[in-house]
Amino acid sequence: SNEYEGTSLNRGNGIGVPRLNFAEVNLNLRKGKSMGEITRVGVDLAKQVIQVHGVDATEKVVIARSMSRQKFAAWCAQLPAGCIVAMEACSGSHQWARRLAALGLQPRLIAPHFVTPYRMEGKGGKNDATDAAAICEAASRPKMRFVPVKTCAQQGVLCVHRLREAYKEERTACINRIRGLLSEFGLVFAKSPEVLRAELPATLEDADNDLPGVVRVALDRAFSHWRALEIELAWCDAQIAEHARQDAQTRQLTAITGIGPTSASALVASVGDFCQFRSASQFAAWIGLVPRQNSSGGKTSLGGITKRGQDYLRTLLIQGARSVVGTASRRSDPTSRWILQLQQRAGWQKTLVAVANKNARIVWAVLVRGRPFEAYYERTRSAPI
């Protein structure tokens, strides 16, 4: 049958879609097409080579080609004002979005997992050209959700948070490395880092143990590295605390039980405009603190939390919930009474997630409605959270 002649079969849904001839597309500009006819561009970003896929108002492909980073910036300057330039939200995308907005264009950042279904060639046809075409197609969907472009200040604060997390992981690895090497010579200490820090100098100076000289020198250098990481962590904490003091939104969030300077700073820097979420429940769902569903035929089936969104924000909220649940018996506010009842009924772990979800909703309500947090606030039907 010639029904699918000249088409590429979409393995996902079995629909024949036209096979794109990029050589023919690139001739369009020489056949009378102009840059002014481009209304939407899909861009696949990379370190050196950038792929573009542009269409006109009739969805006709005008250009599909690759170019260097330097040529891409000059090429974008020739696009008509108001042209939509869509990219995946990835490393460097926010910086490009700010540059494109300064040129009078409309940058759109799309989460990568929203782009994949629009790749007509399926999983087996992934390359720069098909990715750019998929991004361009995804940007045309009326219900597509876009990632807000972060400011330089937001990215600066998040850089400190990322460094802090990296230093924490490196410090843990360094401590475990020291502990493991000492155990090879029969020297075992308690799990607490404070105990190891207090005992290590005397252990390295003790001539009665079996540590060779080279091991003593090596462990001393590792101990110095440990102390250096502590200094870097202290600097990161100081920068985050300074941001928490200076930013008005962060100061509002630190008044919430279970939200400290680190959590408040990360939330404000990561989200920016909380009004982009229609409700508090949508914000909690974006973080991944709502149950996963596998419902069908009118029967509701709920599982564990979805764990969508940023792992970092979800981790901070759950860690803050640990302190709230652990000290709930010392307080008499309505939330603490609810926590104690829930813990008896659902257990410790589910209570932690429930409190983290509740705190996420409170964060949205405080920043969107402009009302300060009240520990003894009684919820009413006219003002749901």
Side-chain angles (χ1 to χ4, degrees), residues 329-374:
S329 59
R330 307 175 192 173
R331 299 185 300 272
S332 60
D333 57 280
T335 301
S336 298
R337 296 196 301 268
W338 168 77
I339 289 173
L340 294 176
Q341 296 173 2
L342 181 62
Q343 187 176 357
Q344 293 178 354
R345 185 174 68 255
W348 171 265
Q349 294 294 344
K350 291 184 179 179
T351 303
L352 291 181
V353 176
V355 173
N357 183 297
K358 190 177 187 67
N359 277 347
R361 292 167 177 251
I362 294 174
V363 165
W364 182 90
V366 167
L367 295 183
V368 173
R369 295 176 179 170
R371 294 182 54 182
F373 172 70
E374 301 175 19

Side-chain angles (χ1 to χ4, degrees), residues 166-181:
Y167 289 142
K168 281 175 56 180
E169 293 179 3
E170 191 174 353
R171 179 184 62 177
T172 301
C174 183
I175 293 172
N176 291 338
R177 194 177 301 118
I178 293 173
R179 193 184 301 278
L181 293 174

Side-chain angles (χ1 to χ4, degrees), residues 67-85:
M67 59 186 72
S68 65
R69 295 174 62 89
Q70 293 77 14
K71 291 182 179 180
F72 174 67
W75 181 80
C76 288
Q78 303 175 38
L79 290 172
C83 178
I84 296 175
V85 182

Side-chain angles (χ1 to χ4, degrees), residues 114-310:
F114 288 155
V115 174
T116 303
Y118 294 95
R119 190 189 303 117
M120 294 301 184
E121 289 73 12
K123 293 183 179 179
K126 185 185 186 313
N127 55 52
D128 291 349
T130 57
D131 282 350
I135 294 170
C136 185
E137 179 65 23
S140 68
R141 300 299 88 198
K143 294 185 178 181
M144 178 57 62
R145 295 196 296 269
F146 299 103
V147 178
V149 179
K150 289 183 173 59
T151 64
C152 289
Q154 284 180 268
Q155 288 191 287
V157 174
L158 290 176
C159 281
V160 178
H161 282 271
R162 297 294 180 268
L163 285 174
R164 181 177 180 272
E165 287 301 297
Y167 289 142
K168 281 175 56 180
E169 293 179 3
E170 191 174 353
R171 179 184 62 177
T172 301
C174 183
I175 293 172
N176 291 338
R177 194 177 301 118
I178 293 173
R179 193 184 301 278
L181 293 174
L182 286 172
S183 66
E184 293 290 335
F185 298 92
L187 300 172
V188 180
F189 301 92
K191 292 184 179 180
S192 171
E194 288 75 17
V195 174
L196 181 61
R197 186 190 294 111
E199 297 290 341
L200 186 56
T203 302
L204 297 179
E205 295 293 334
D206 186 5
D208 294 334
N209 56 41
D210 295 332
L211 289 177
V214 65
V215 175
R216 297 177 190 273
V217 175
L219 291 178
D220 183 65
R221 294 174 66 87
F223 190 32
S224 299
H225 181 54
W226 179 5
R227 292 194 294 265
L229 291 173
E230 295 280 5
I231 294 174
E232 297 299 332
L233 274 170
W235 180 85
C236 291
D237 288 336
Q239 295 299 313
I240 293 173
E242 183 65 21
H243 175 247
R245 285 192 296 268
Q246 293 183 354
D247 187 82
Q249 287 186 320
T250 307
R251 287 198 303 269
Q252 285 182 283
L253 297 188
T254 52
I256 302 173
T257 307
I259 303 291
T262 302
S263 301
S265 174
L267 285 165
V268 171
S270 298
V271 179
D273 183 16
F274 283 80
C275 293
Q276 63 183 290
F277 300 100
R278 295 192 304 270
S279 63
S281 59
Q282 188 184 60
F283 175 59
W286 176 75
I287 297 179
L289 291 170
V290 297
R292 182 183 292 107
Q293 287 203 46
N294 188 22
S295 305
S296 179
K299 182 179 179 181
T300 302
S301 177
L302 302 180
I305 58 175
T306 62
K307 296 185 178 179
R308 295 174 179 171
Q310 289 194 21

Side-chain angles (χ1 to χ4, degrees), residues 30-43:
R30 293 195 292 269
K31 292 181 179 179
K33 293 285 185 179
S34 65
M35 292 286 290
E37 296 183 28
I38 299 176
T39 59
R40 190 175 68 255
V41 179
V43 181

